[in-house]
Amino acid sequence: MKKRALLVAFTVVSACASHNESFFEFDPRSLEKDSITLAQFCDSIFYIPLDNNISLGLIHDNLKYNDKSFYFSSFEIGILEFDRNGQYIRKIGSIGRGPGEYTYYTDFIFDENNNTIYVQDRSDLIKVYSRSGNFIRSISLQEADGSIEKIGFLNSKIFAFKNLQNGGSLFNWIVYDTLGNIIKTKNRTIPNFKCGWAGGCGTYIFESKLSYWNIYNDSVYSILPDLNYKISFILKPGEHRLPYSDFEPSSLAQYMHIWQILETERFYTILYTYKKPFFALVDKRSRDSFLASLEFRSGSTGLNFIGGICNDLDGGMEFLPKSYFQEKGREYLVGIIYPYQIKIHVSCSKFINSIPKYPEKKKEFEKLANTLMKTDNPVLMIVRLRK
């Protein structure tokens, strides 16, 4: 298969980096549509139907895996925990405005050492819960200037990532201890401005580093356990980037917007929109890149991306990862698919005529489809990466 480079060497001077250090540069304008299939970088696939004893309804796009459990939040129920087999375990806290309850719960983080869960209830307030789901305390982050868009956790410290487009904030992020005391700050590197477009930053954990991006910054940063940071790669400046000003929401598609970044030992995975939505798989060593063209639909949960990497392992649905985890020395990517989509897929000619790498897995997938009702809870689609 012909491969083309997505990223080119780019030298940048940073207080935390060598003057001669070379970085990758992400530029969606230069991407070529080389494709890849699951069998080219994965060696196994399996599915976990989520317990139907609790009706999930709509769920936020924030799937997380921690210590043999999956966590995500339902619009109607709150934050939920399921075990490795998809069985419902418990609810973490409760929705409401009373003591110990949360009203906003799309972002949450884990303290694995103390078995606690931190929920960003609103911009400057975090609710802390035990692993068993009981409320412990609240942490006020009122000393933070400007609004907090995202939180992260690393080495027993809370990171508050700022909303840069509302103006006034002096920092990219602020580091707190678990009682809410400020430990360290990172000054912003772009001018103050105001823009009506909400959202635009994210985090992920890889190899004991907390990585962070903001669509208005030119760098994706990795924060180390000692609170120093380094640049992971560059988001190339240009007319494709969001302006430091208000713009019509209808023109959003002409600008690059990054919705998700995940990292594995070999790859960066980047879900982004530029003209239309794409999923990019970038080899960190060779700098080869592969693209999957997506579609999206607007719904009550925001933009829903449709499509992904061609599934030639079992002929099943295309794969779009939502989360990453490591277990027993192996790497896994996790996606979410819905029963109605599965049932439609197994009845189409593409699936019926497919000859996947593992024909026995195709039979298992068809058997799974026959056991599902269209209204059942989602199914986790998990692929194991090759060593």
Side-chain angles (χ1 to χ4, degrees):
M1 176 183 296
K2 184 178 178 182
K3 300 178 180 178
R4 300 181 177 89
L6 163 68
L7 304 171
V8 296
F10 180 80
T11 303
V12 62
V13 177
S14 169
C16 300
S18 164
H19 292 282
N20 296 318
E21 188 173 355
S22 178
F23 296 100
F24 297 146
E25 189 175 45
F26 182 81
D27 185 354
R29 297 170 300 179
S30 64
L31 300 184
E32 301 290 344
K33 296 184 178 181
D34 286 349
S35 61
I36 194 170
T37 67
L38 285 181
Q40 290 177 260
F41 69 99
C42 302
D43 62 12
S44 184
I45 186 169
F46 57 97
Y47 302 90
I48 302 177
L50 295 177
D51 192 345
N52 286 309
N53 288 325
I54 179 170
S55 180
L56 298 182
L58 298 174
I59 62 175
H60 292 289
D61 192 14
N62 59 353
L63 173 65
K64 297 181 182 180
Y65 180 79
N66 183 63
D67 192 24
K68 298 183 180 180
S69 288
F70 294 97
Y71 294 82
F72 50 83
S73 58
S74 161
F75 273 70
E76 293 83 11
I77 306 171
I79 299 170
L80 303 171
E81 178 183 1
F82 288 77
D83 70 15
R84 195 66 162 70
N85 298 313
Q87 296 301 302
Y88 171 71
I89 298 178
R90 64 177 61 90
K91 180 170 65 171
I92 307 299
S94 298
I95 298 174
R97 299 184 179 275
E101 297 177 329
Y102 44 67
T103 53
Y104 300 98
Y105 43 93
T106 60
D107 199 16
F108 56 91
I109 52 180
F110 296 99
D111 181 350
E112 296 182 8
N113 293 328
N114 295 316
N115 280 322
T116 48
I117 300 171
Y118 297 80
V119 181
Q120 185 181 3
D121 189 27
R122 61 174 189 265
S123 176
D124 59 356
L125 183 65
I126 290 177
K127 300 286 179 67
V128 186
Y129 298 88
S130 69
R131 186 67 178 268
S132 59
N134 297 317
F135 175 72
I136 299 176
R137 66 180 183 277
S138 294
I139 300 175
S140 174
L141 306 181
Q142 292 182 357
E143 291 184 52
D145 67 316
S147 61
I148 295 169
E149 188 170 347
K150 196 79 176 174
I151 57 174
F153 196 88
L154 181 68
N155 201 26
S156 299
K157 296 175 179 62
I158 300 169
F159 292 74
F161 298 97
K162 307 307 294 298
N163 183 319
L164 300 181
Q165 59 266 44
N166 284 343
S169 174
L170 299 176
F171 309 111
N172 267 7
W173 66 76
I174 300 176
V175 187
Y176 298 85
D177 64 19
T178 54
L179 297 177
N181 301 306
I182 294 178
I183 299 174
K184 192 172 183 178
T185 59
K186 164 67 169 66
N187 290 337
R188 68 185 290 155
T189 55
I190 60 176
N192 284 330
F193 68 98
K194 288 190 177 182
C195 175
W197 172 249
C201 78
T203 67
Y204 64 88
I205 294 283
F206 179 71
E207 290 187 342
S208 301
K209 300 188 296 290
L210 174 66
S211 293
Y212 154 82
W213 79 91
N214 187 293
I215 54 175
Y216 291 103
N217 282 335
D218 289 339
S219 300
V220 176
Y221 296 99
S222 290
I223 305 171
L224 309 176
D226 63 4
L227 301 186
N228 286 315
Y229 62 91
K230 66 178 184 178
I231 295 173
S232 291
F233 61 93
I234 303 297
L235 304 177
K236 184 174 177 63
E239 74 281 355
H240 63 293
R241 299 291 301 279
L242 285 165
Y244 295 159
S245 61
D246 265 326
F247 58 89
E248 288 295 325
S250 59
S251 66
L252 178 63
Q254 69 180 289
Y255 301 114
M256 180 185 75
H257 188 95
I258 294 178
W259 301 90
Q260 176 185 276
I261 301 176
L262 299 174
E263 187 173 351
T264 75
E265 291 181 2
R266 180 182 171 188
F267 297 107
Y268 290 117
T269 78
I270 304 172
L271 176 64
Y272 70 97
T273 46
Y274 178 63
K275 310 295 185 181
K276 63 172 296 181
F278 291 96
F279 174 77
L281 191 69
V282 180
D283 190 307
K284 296 191 291 186
R285 294 187 292 270
S286 69
R287 303 185 184 184
D288 290 335
S289 65
F290 310 92
L291 281 182
S293 180
L294 310 176
E295 302 293 336
F296 62 79
R297 300 171 186 165
S298 297
S300 55
T301 61
L303 290 180
N304 299 310
F305 295 95
I306 308 298
I309 302 170
C310 176
N311 177 4
D312 58 344
L313 290 174
D314 63 5
M317 294 181 58
E318 295 170 317
F319 178 68
L320 187 64
K322 304 289 186 183
S323 185
Y324 163 88
F325 69 91
Q326 292 182 323
E327 188 174 69
K328 296 180 180 179
R330 299 302 301 269
E331 297 182 289
Y332 298 84
L333 290 170
V334 188
I336 299 176
I337 52 179
Y338 291 83
Y340 77 90
Q341 296 172 319
I342 296 173
K343 296 183 82 66
I344 291 173
H345 184 77
V346 297
S347 64
C348 72
S349 59
K350 181 179 178 180
F351 175 78
I352 294 170
N353 297 325
S354 66
I355 306 176
K357 182 173 182 178
Y358 303 114
E360 70 281 6
K361 290 284 188 179
K362 178 180 178 179
K363 294 179 181 179
E364 291 178 12
F365 183 74
E366 190 170 14
K367 182 178 179 181
L368 169 66
N370 292 333
T371 65
L372 296 172
M373 301 287 290
K374 289 184 178 180
T375 55
D376 281 352
N377 280 334
V379 175
L380 302 182
M381 180 179 182
I382 302 179
V383 296
R384 187 178 68 185
L385 278 61
R386 293 184 183 277
K387 286 188 175 181

